[in-house]
Amino acid sequence: MGIMALQIAKIIGAVVIGVVGTEEKAKILKQYGADHVINYSTESVRDRVAEITDGHYCDVVYESVGGKMFDECVRCMTPEGGGRLLVIGFASGQIPKIAVNLALIKGFSVVGVRSGAQLHMFNHKYRDECHQDLVNWAKAGKLVPPINGQEYELSGAREGFRLILDKKVIGKAVIKFNVSAKL
């Protein structure tokens, strides 16, 4: 989901700052168009964001990790007000808590985003327009699913899940089912 969000952000004109834990993942984000990449295992996220944005920090943050990374993201929200911290998930397994005084002082909103489920909250016309935009961008080659050859037969699913747990999957891992079997 993160690489697709990166691609959409670039299509609509955003400056994208990606945060990763390895140099390998940093290279991948650069390939997909990230303007800046921060390796949290070797750099202070907050300090680098401040440097990149000249102290403005971020208007919108897409946060899917949770835990300590969520805390870093809260501290990277613009103090100028109107920012949005989009909560996508908790890949770290740690559901964070927020000191709401930071949201009050910085004037940002915390928004829970439930991917496809979110679209049902909009009117049909807007939802259909969003869907058509995604289809058009994909047809034009602007949205490229990040699978990177990580496909597994059902018998190899355990290995795929092991790589996910070890944080070695970049993009998506796909488990292929035998679709030719008759039900």
Side-chain angles (χ1 to χ4, degrees):
M1 183 72 177
I3 291 175
M4 296 300 282
L6 182 161
Q7 292 177 64
I8 292 169
K10 291 305 298 174
I11 290 167
I12 64 173
V15 173
V16 175
I17 303 171
V19 179
V20 297
T22 68
E23 287 304 315
E24 179 186 14
K25 290 184 178 182
K27 289 177 187 173
I28 296 291
L29 287 192
K30 280 291 201 182
Q31 289 173 352
Y32 278 95
D35 298 289
H36 307 275
V37 181
I38 301 168
N39 184 337
Y40 65 78
S41 63
T42 61
E43 304 176 87
S44 162
V45 174
R46 182 179 183 192
D47 291 347
R48 281 288 291 132
V49 168
E51 178 185 326
I52 291 165
T53 64
D54 292 325
H56 172 76
Y57 291 95
C58 300
D59 296 314
V60 177
V61 173
Y62 175 103
E63 208 293 305
S64 61
V65 177
K68 291 179 183 178
M69 187 53 58
F70 180 86
D71 296 338
E72 287 287 319
C73 289
V74 167
R75 284 161 179 74
C76 289
M77 296 303 301
T78 182
E80 297 167 17
R84 289 175 305 253
L85 175 54
L86 308 177
V87 179
I88 311 300
F90 314 105
S92 70
Q94 298 174 337
I95 298 174
K97 293 177 176 39
I98 183 170
V100 294
N101 64 313
L102 292 173
L104 173 65
I105 292 166
K106 292 185 173 194
F108 68 88
S109 301
V110 178
V111 181
V113 179
R114 296 178 297 146
S115 248
Q118 207 73 14
L119 287 176
H120 295 289
M121 298 171 68
F122 301 110
N123 68 47
H124 295 296
K125 183 176 186 269
Y126 181 71
R127 182 190 66 214
D128 293 346
E129 288 173 8
C130 289
H131 180 261
Q132 194 57 54
D133 284 343
L134 293 171
V135 169
N136 291 341
W137 294 334
K139 284 181 179 178
K142 294 178 179 180
L143 286 180
V144 180
I147 296 172
N148 301 323
Q150 297 169 123
E151 297 182 16
Y152 303 90
E153 298 296 331
L154 185 57
S155 61
R158 182 175 293 226
E159 176 61 17
F161 283 113
R162 185 178 349 274
L163 292 173
I164 291 169
L165 288 172
D166 292 343
K167 297 182 179 181
K168 296 201 173 158
V169 170
I170 296 172
K172 303 294 179 210
V174 175
I175 298 171
K176 299 187 296 186
F177 292 87
N178 181 355
V179 294
S180 63
K182 299 206 180 217
L183 298 177

